[in-house]
Amino acid sequence: MSIFWKSGRLAILASGAILGLAVNADARELRGWNLHVPDYPGSIALEEFADAVEAGTEGRFTGSVYHNGQLGDQRFAIEQFAFDGIDFAAFSGGSLGDFAPELNIVSMPYVFQSQDHMFKVLDGEVGERLSAALEPYNMVALAWYTGGARSFYTVKSQVATPEDLKGLKIRVPDADIFVATIEALGANATPLAFGEVYTSLQTGVIDGAENNAPSFESTRHYEVAKFYTLDEHMMVPEALVVSKTLWDSLSPEDQTAMRAAARASAETQRKLWADREATSTKILQDAGVTIVKLEDKA
Ligand code: GTR
């Protein structure tokens, strides 16, 4: 009898262990693309998204965020969605616009009066329509991050007017909206991958670039480019997207959990952004960068 019970318990334990393994083996690990350094606002927010997805789906999904563009540059990563090579990411509206042109609307120069204006537009019906425009590219936009405002930084002299941009080679991300905007302002737009900008500034391949303060600082481009003019020509939002194949495969409960995780992540990102802008600006100032705020944007 006791032997029977003993083996009975053993059998139960064994199947419990097998069950436990089966739960882990079923958990799907999602691959997240990220361009930035791990302590960047969007990076922290993406990690938070991954954790919240795991908690909210009771471990059915786990997520890993690959920082620093480890999974490839932005255009390549966007293309990977079509093949489900990447499951989630925060993509620039400007880069997405090369695929779904509707996205260019929210990246146009001076289209928003403020970040609050941008959030109001994106958190409502417009955001949903932009998400629908991404569906053919196998993406669903669940929430929107801020990308701050992009401004010019240069190696040799301060840019104060569009005249000063004439003849300058300015690096832009590899997407039409950036090229067209910077050309319209009078400079020679030079599309380059994010990771190539530092050496290009250093070796004189380009005369300057344009970005928000956190990116200008986190890439250390300020070590080479000491003139920053806050003309804020583009306020480009970033979409927190997940693969549509993944989204469509989820139960309604898991969809709810994932959407809630994305919204919470966007809230975190927006809060961290404000802090990082201030910290980055201080780092730039301490490093001797001349920062000029352009009052006459017209
Ligand atoms: C950053 C933005 C990236 C990318 C990058 C760049 O501010 O977060 O999505 O656009 O700029 O300049 O390549």
Side-chain angles (χ1 to χ4, degrees):
M1 184 80 156
S2 68
I3 291 169
F4 172 82
W5 274 111
K6 228 175 164 180
S7 52
R9 268 186 80 188
L10 275 176
I12 289 164
L13 277 177
S15 63
I18 287 163
L19 262 182
L21 271 178
V23 170
N24 280 335
D26 277 355
R28 189 158 155 232
E29 186 176 332
L30 306 176
R31 279 154 63 89
W33 176 89
N34 176 37
L35 186 62
H36 294 284
V37 291
D39 74 344
Y40 204 74
S43 313
I44 297 167
L46 279 170
E47 294 277 6
E48 188 185 293
F49 171 69
D51 289 346
V53 165
E54 182 170 351
T57 63
E58 291 157 346
R60 283 184 288 282
F61 294 91
T62 61
S64 296
V65 185
Y66 295 84
H67 301 294
N68 285 318
Q70 279 174 73
L71 299 183
D73 73 17
Q74 189 144 203
R75 173 181 290 281
F76 176 79
I78 293 171
E79 284 166 358
Q80 284 301 302
F81 265 74
F83 314 106
D84 281 305
I86 293 168
D87 303 293
F88 67 99
F91 286 134
S92 156
S95 294
L96 289 169
D98 262 13
F99 295 79
E102 291 88 338
L103 269 289
N104 282 334
I105 295 166
V106 287
S107 308
M108 301 262 288
Y110 299 111
V111 78
F112 296 119
Q113 283 144 20
S114 64
Q115 291 203 56
D116 282 344
H117 179 203
M118 179 176 82
F119 296 147
K120 217 166 160 184
V121 169
L122 292 169
D123 292 341
E125 198 204 320
V126 172
E128 278 163 33
R129 285 170 65 183
L130 295 177
S131 178
L134 290 171
E135 287 188 8
Y137 306 94
N138 199 32
M139 288 177 205
V140 177
L142 294 181
W144 301 88
Y145 289 176
T146 178
R150 300 179 74 96
S151 292
F152 291 103
Y153 49 87
T154 37
V155 176
K156 289 201 180 127
S157 55
Q158 198 90 34
V159 166
T161 66
E163 288 302 306
D164 300 334
L165 284 170
K166 291 234 160 73
L168 292 190
K169 275 194 176 168
I170 301 290
R171 177 271 171 177
V172 292
D174 179 16
D176 285 351
I177 188 87
F178 297 104
V179 174
T181 301
I182 273 39
E183 295 267 329
L185 285 169
N188 297 333
T190 309
L192 279 177
F194 196 49
E196 287 170 32
V197 184
Y198 191 101
T199 19
S200 303
L201 286 167
Q202 213 173 23
T203 55
V205 168
I206 50 173
D207 301 303
E210 43 85 58
N211 223 315
N212 50 60
S215 278
F216 182 26
E217 173 265 308
S218 68
T219 53
R220 307 184 77 87
H221 294 169
Y222 64 87
E223 292 173 352
V224 199
K226 296 286 185 195
F227 301 98
Y228 195 29
T229 301
L230 302 180
D231 66 300
E232 304 185 320
H233 50 268
M234 294 164 107
M235 213 177 262
V236 183
E238 301 191 1
L240 170 48
V241 297
V242 297
S243 135
K244 187 171 174 330
T245 320
L246 165 71
W247 183 252
D248 291 344
S249 75
L250 297 178
S251 66
E253 293 75 28
D254 284 353
Q255 281 191 348
T256 305
M258 215 175 259
R259 197 178 281 284
R263 292 218 170 120
S265 158
E267 251 175 61
T268 298
Q269 194 271 350
R270 293 173 190 187
K271 272 195 209 114
L272 291 175
W273 186 264
D275 295 345
R276 181 66 181 242
E277 258 190 340
T279 318
S280 296
T281 303
K282 172 92 177 51
I283 293 172
L284 298 175
Q285 279 163 342
D286 290 351
V289 174
T290 311
I291 305 178
V292 173
K293 197 165 162 46
L294 201 74
E295 300 298 346
D296 181 11
K297 287 189 178 159

